[in-house]
Structure formats: C-alpha cells, structure tokens
Amino acid sequence: MPIQDIPKNILTDKLFISYTYYKEGLVDGDNFMVEARVRNSKEDHGIPCYDVFSSDTGLHGFSINQNCYSYIKFISEEKIITGDKYDFRKYNFDTSDWHIMRIQVVDRETTFYFDDEPILNTVYENSLGRANEITLRFKGCGAVDYVKLYDSKNQLIYENNFEKNLNKK
C-alpha cells in the first residue's frame, strides 16, 4: 500500500497492512510449501523492527526483525520458538532488502527458510487438517514481489506475481 493511500489521520507506526488469500480447503495443512519474496523498507514507510512476514495456513508462520530479536517468532501448530530464547544473530534479517521467506511442511515436520537457507526445523503433534488461507502481514507499508503455494506433490496450486500484475496496468 503506497503511503499516499493511507488516511492522513492514521499513525503508520500503529498500522498493519495484510494481503490475504482465502479459499476453503486450500491445502493439506500438514503437507505444503508456501514462499514469498518480501521487504519492509523505510523507503516504503515500513517499520522494520516489527512483524514483517506471517504466512498463516492454520498455525504455521514466522516473523523476522532486524536488531529486534525478541520479536522473531516461528510457529508451527503448538510449537512456538522466539528470538528471545534462541540466538538468531548470525542471520541478516535486514527487512529493507528483498528476502525470500519459505515454510515447508512434510508430515508435521516444518522447515523455515530465509533466502533459500534453512534456519529452523521443528516437529509438531496436532494435525492442522485442511488450511484455508495465506496471509502476508507488515507493520507500516510492506512490499510483496510474489507469493506461491505448493501442495504435497510440489504442484503449484496458487500464485500471485505482483510485479507482473503491476506491469500489465
């Protein structure tokens, strides 16, 4: 969302912008992969020290934050891993740059990727069943280049390429 589209009486440090795709029974929540290329730069009036990306198909998701490690969070059903309990300082979570965020779930084992590098792996107990939505959430104004969702057979079942869509107008 461009800054000029935000109502003047809203403070951007209190504003969350989300893109959500919803479809009933979209994918098996225990076997899928979702990927998006995102950034949250100050140039776009984003606030890089808060939630940057949350891909939510049931209860899988993660947030990254540069220099705010207590806000880093990885969620896979009942498993929640936060940056205040684990040391993620080796990763460059500079949200002003474009990054590819990916969550891959295979038989209740979740791997979180950051720029094609696996950064965390966890196993959860409770099945999610059929997942219904993908949500990309930013504090302030974020940017999304693309989002893709694959099923357990690595078949592309949803894609939105925002750059190509903008160039068509």
Side-chain angles (χ1 to χ4, degrees):
M1 173 180 255
I3 191 68
Q4 63 269 18
D5 292 348
I6 298 175
K8 302 272 186 257
N9 59 347
I10 292 178
L11 299 174
T12 57
D13 68 339
K14 310 277 188 282
L15 178 69
F16 286 91
I17 299 294
S18 295
Y19 166 80
T20 300
Y21 175 76
Y22 181 90
K23 180 180 177 186
E24 193 70 32
L26 181 61
V27 70
D28 175 356
D30 299 321
N31 293 284
F32 71 94
M33 182 179 74
V34 64
E35 177 179 287
R37 187 169 180 256
V38 297
R39 77 173 183 178
N40 199 22
S41 107
K42 288 182 181 180
E43 296 168 14
D44 298 325
H45 302 279
I47 301 166
C49 195
Y50 291 92
D51 293 340
V52 175
F53 172 76
S54 175
S55 175
D56 189 349
T57 56
L59 291 173
H60 295 294
F62 67 106
S63 299
I64 60 162
N65 305 278
Q66 182 187 23
N67 300 321
C68 296
Y69 294 98
S70 65
Y71 288 98
I72 296 171
K73 187 183 296 182
F74 299 87
I75 302 169
S76 199
E77 185 44 2
E78 73 275 358
K79 298 282 180 129
I80 300 174
I81 299 163
T82 57
D84 59 347
K85 296 184 175 77
Y86 291 84
D87 186 0
F88 294 111
R89 287 179 285 187
K90 70 178 184 176
Y91 300 104
N92 175 17
F93 292 145
D94 181 355
T95 59
S96 64
D97 294 331
W98 286 101
H99 294 288
I100 297 172
M101 314 296 283
R102 183 182 326 136
I103 300 172
Q104 184 169 11
V105 182
V106 178
D107 296 328
R108 299 184 194 173
E109 182 174 347
T110 307
T111 305
F112 298 93
Y113 293 85
F114 181 76
D115 291 333
D116 293 323
E117 181 180 351
I119 56 175
L120 189 66
N121 182 275
T122 188
V123 175
Y124 62 95
E125 298 294 321
N126 301 324
S127 174
L128 292 175
R130 300 297 296 178
N132 297 320
E133 71 181 50
I134 301 169
T135 300
L136 305 175
R137 185 170 295 123
F138 302 88
K139 187 153 189 187
C141 298
V144 181
D145 185 26
Y146 69 83
V147 60
K148 297 177 184 178
L149 177 67
Y150 297 86
D151 66 12
S152 62
K153 296 176 180 145
N154 206 29
Q155 298 292 316
L156 182 66
I157 60 172
Y158 174 75
E159 178 179 23
N160 193 336
N161 188 327
F162 297 91
E163 266 314 300
K164 285 183 183 175
N165 294 340
L166 287 175
N167 292 334
K168 288 180 183 177
K169 293 181 180 179

